[in-house]
Amino acid sequence: MNALSLDSVSHSFKQRRVLDAVSFSVAQGRVCILLGRNGAGKTTLFSLVTGLYHARFGSVQVFGHAMRTDPAAALAAMGVVFQQQTLDLDLTTAENLRYHAALHGLAAEVAEARMREELGRLAVLDRLHDPVRSLSGGQRRRVEIARALMHRPRILLLDEPTTGLDVPGRQALAHHVHGLCRERGIAALWATHFLEEVTPEDDVVVLHAGRVQWAGGADRIEAELGVASMTDAFAKLTAAA
Amino acid sequence: MKRRHALRALNGIFHRELLRTLRQRGRLVSAMVRPLVWLAIFAAGFRSVLGLSTTPPYQTYVLYEVYVVPGLAAMMLLFHAMASSLAMVYDREMGSMRLLLTAPLPRWYLLGARLLASVVVGLPLVYLFLVVARYWDVRPPMLGYLAVLPALVLSGLMLGAFGLLVSSLSTQMENFAGVMNFVIFPMFFASTALYPLWRLAEAGPVLATVAMLNPFSHAVELIRFALYLRFTPISFLVVLACLLVFFLAAVVGYDPGRGLWSRRGDQ
């Protein structure tokens, strides 16, 4: 069973079509990079996948649970890091994570243990009792990822998670997410417009003007398109207006 | 929806609301000072010019301070509800609303939990005001402080649900602040919070009709009657009905398939 399946998903805001018959899937234990320029429809797609609003047409399924008819089961299986920061700046790191744990129904003692485990893994445990306002951009991102993992999701959704991070921070984050997928067998959908975040073992979906231009293994894209590099492949796929 | 999960989420939402409220000391102080200014200055000035005949639930002539205190308690709930709704708009702009709306629980439950938490967090200030009001000789029966609790909760929920509905229709904080001005002041002044209905009728039948139809008037009367150990079924039913209508409309407003946000895409 696929971790995430989108079948002919279309969405419009008023008269403007943002997504047009988008179909692809993310297999368990795989990292799928959703590549697209700014305005390609990545964030709208994330909003639909996370149930913030429903697609006008098509279906979104998470481990077989349809987002439209069984959103609770679908949401329980996913951990989300939105492009826009969603931490409460007035609360401490611990208070933010406890709030998330409560929303996912975790018992207090379980939440405390997992909070420390995930923050420790991401090297931000020392900021546990600091207000989020005092954390750097990179630390806030790591806290958000730790938070997204607290309820042991089976798929991790990351919408441009490296925005605002420096190069070492971006590399560390990518390394961490790939490690999670290998170690825990969880799937990840990673939206980005940074081509250097794609590794050969990833799956890639190229989204342009609301349509899927290409989907498949990153190691095949250059050969299939007859280009020399991922940069060329991306340029070729997103050349049309 | 599992009961244990739902209770833990409610507890988490309540805890967050409490922490945020306690850390906004300016808001707490102003929430307390506002009704006291009305009571100490406005009511003192009106006391000499506004005679009040016997009006239920009062069984004799009462001082204007006595009359106005339930209205000011309701005003506290109104301002608290609007501040809480403004916080929802702020949360949405800042992104933290997404966390609440992507929790694996029904959206109506999450909104209801947020609404309930907000009301419960606001109640201690109302009680503090009622206790301080004793200094102005506003001394309802002691049992009245207990009897008024359900009236405060119901009124707070109704006003909060109204704020929730307004927040579901607002795109930006600036818009919401404008809406608040058009909502709070007419709601408060065109009600029985400051003057009894017969006084308003003397001023003009239209104003009296508006006040009678204003759900805030019914919240005020529900609180006033409960504080003096009386029950007004009409106000109770109006407040309850408005709560249901406002809340259901707010749930539709935040609905992922039907809400305005799904059409505008800026949630």
Side-chain angles (χ1 to χ4, degrees):
Chain A
M1 181 190 295
N2 284 319
L4 174 69
S5 301
L6 282 86
D7 184 17
S8 304
V9 170
S10 298
H11 197 75
S12 307
F13 296 130
K14 294 181 180 169
Q15 301 303 316
R16 187 168 56 92
R17 177 150 285 208
V18 183
L19 293 174
D20 189 6
V22 170
S23 298
F24 69 90
S25 57
V26 181
Q28 268 180 282
R30 300 285 297 172
V31 176
C32 178
I33 306 288
L34 181 65
L35 273 179
R37 296 181 189 275
N38 290 331
K42 301 189 295 294
T43 297
T44 300
L45 192 142
F46 263 71
S47 294
L48 299 177
V49 170
T50 54
L52 282 176
Y53 35 85
H54 290 325
R56 294 271 175 267
F57 303 100
S59 74
V60 176
Q61 294 205 339
V62 181
F63 288 98
H65 302 289
M67 184 52 76
R68 190 178 286 275
T69 56
D70 192 9
L75 289 167
M78 68 171 70
V80 189
V81 178
F82 288 104
Q83 182 181 7
Q84 188 185 10
Q85 184 195 274
T86 57
L87 292 166
D88 193 324
L89 300 181
D90 294 326
L91 303 185
T92 66
T93 301
E95 287 162 351
N96 267 286
L97 268 60
R98 283 188 197 118
Y99 175 55
H100 174 85
L103 290 176
H104 281 265
L106 298 185
E109 59 274 21
V110 174
E112 290 299 317
R114 288 192 188 170
M115 185 164 69
R116 289 173 184 279
E117 181 189 337
E118 297 299 342
L119 289 173
R121 197 189 294 268
L122 284 150
V124 272
L125 185 56
D126 57 326
R127 307 304 303 268
L128 186 63
H129 299 297
D130 293 333
V132 166
R133 199 178 289 281
S134 70
L135 272 55
S136 69
Q139 288 170 329
R140 289 180 192 180
R141 266 297 182 221
R142 280 184 276 161
V143 168
E144 287 196 301
I145 292 171
R147 184 182 63 182
L149 292 167
M150 277 185 72
H151 59 284
R152 297 286 187 263
R154 296 161 72 194
I155 180 168
L156 195 56
L157 305 171
L158 306 114
D159 187 6
E160 307 210 9
T162 55
T163 302
L165 299 187
D166 55 16
V167 174
R170 280 157 52 183
Q171 287 171 342
L173 194 58
H175 180 73
H176 183 71
V177 171
H178 281 88
L180 282 170
C181 293
R182 272 195 308 272
E183 292 162 23
R184 299 188 190 175
I186 65 175
L189 178 65
W190 175 304
T192 185
H193 57 267
F194 294 118
L195 300 179
E196 61 271 26
E197 289 173 3
V198 182
T199 65
E201 65 266 28
D202 296 334
D203 293 326
V204 171
V205 173
V206 178
L207 191 68
H208 182 61
R211 291 183 178 188
V212 172
Q213 302 294 329
W214 197 86
D219 54 349
R220 292 191 289 113
I221 191 167
E222 292 160 17
E224 286 195 14
L225 292 173
V227 293
S229 66
M230 175 62 79
T231 307
D232 292 341
F234 186 66
K236 188 173 182 179
L237 290 167
T238 59
Chain B
M1 181 168 58
K2 290 179 181 167
R3 196 174 64 173
R4 188 177 291 179
H5 182 178
L7 288 175
R8 281 176 182 154
L10 177 63
N11 184 42
I13 291 168
F14 171 76
H15 196 66
R16 176 180 183 265
E17 197 71 19
L18 184 66
L19 288 172
R20 284 173 59 94
T21 304
L22 290 176
R23 283 173 194 171
Q24 294 174 338
R25 292 198 183 127
R27 184 179 145 190
L28 280 178
V29 170
S30 67
M32 196 62 210
V33 167
R34 193 181 298 117
L36 287 176
V37 167
W38 278 87
L39 185 60
I41 300 171
F42 180 84
F46 263 58
R47 182 182 191 175
S48 55
V49 295
L50 193 69
L52 292 178
S53 64
T54 303
T55 310
Y58 310 109
Q59 291 169 340
T60 179
Y61 287 94
V62 291
L63 295 174
Y64 184 64
E65 285 90 336
V66 173
Y67 178 82
V68 85
V69 158
L72 295 179
M75 181 189 77
M76 290 180 82
L77 294 174
L78 177 65
F79 274 85
H80 180 74
M82 291 302 147
S84 180
S85 299
L86 181 63
M88 283 195 85
V89 178
Y90 176 83
D91 279 356
R92 200 166 53 216
E93 280 200 12
M94 294 296 112
S96 47
M97 175 65 98
R98 287 164 186 253
L99 192 68
L100 181 73
L101 298 182
T102 54
L105 286 165
R107 199 165 281 194
W108 66 264
Y109 179 80
L110 293 166
L111 293 171
R114 170 84 191 247
L115 176 62
L116 182 63
S118 167
V119 172
V120 172
V121 165
L123 282 179
L125 274 183
V126 179
Y127 268 97
L128 183 60
F129 168 69
L130 291 175
V131 170
V132 172
R134 292 181 73 84
Y135 176 77
W136 278 269
D137 280 334
V138 182
R139 296 168 187 271
M142 292 309 285
L143 212 52
Y145 291 100
L146 188 63
V148 80
L149 180 61
L152 290 172
V153 171
L154 191 64
S155 301
L157 287 173
M158 185 270 283
L159 296 169
F162 182 69
L164 200 62
L165 172 61
V166 175
S167 78
S168 76
L169 303 171
S170 303
T171 51
Q172 294 172 330
M173 278 182 66
E174 291 78 7
N175 295 351
F176 189 73
V179 169
M180 280 172 72
N181 281 329
F182 284 105
V183 168
I184 287 183
F185 293 114
M187 223 175 177
F188 178 57
F189 287 112
S191 77
T192 57
L194 300 178
Y195 328 99
L197 202 57
W198 63 267
R199 274 277 179 192
L200 292 167
E202 278 180 357
V206 175
L207 185 59
T209 306
V210 169
M212 208 158 58
L213 295 174
N214 182 353
F216 185 70
S217 290
H218 293 278
V220 170
E221 294 312 309
L222 190 66
I223 292 166
R224 188 191 311 284
F225 274 67
L227 201 54
Y228 291 89
L229 302 173
R230 299 272 299 275
F231 179 65
T232 166
I234 291 174
S235 290
F236 170 76
L237 290 173
V238 170
V239 171
L240 185 64
C242 288
L243 163 61
L244 293 175
V245 169
F246 294 153
F247 184 68
L248 288 175
V251 169
V252 171
Y254 278 98
D255 184 273
R258 288 174 291 182
L260 286 179
W261 300 102
S262 67
R263 291 198 284 273
R264 290 196 289 236
D266 41 3
Q267 188 164 43

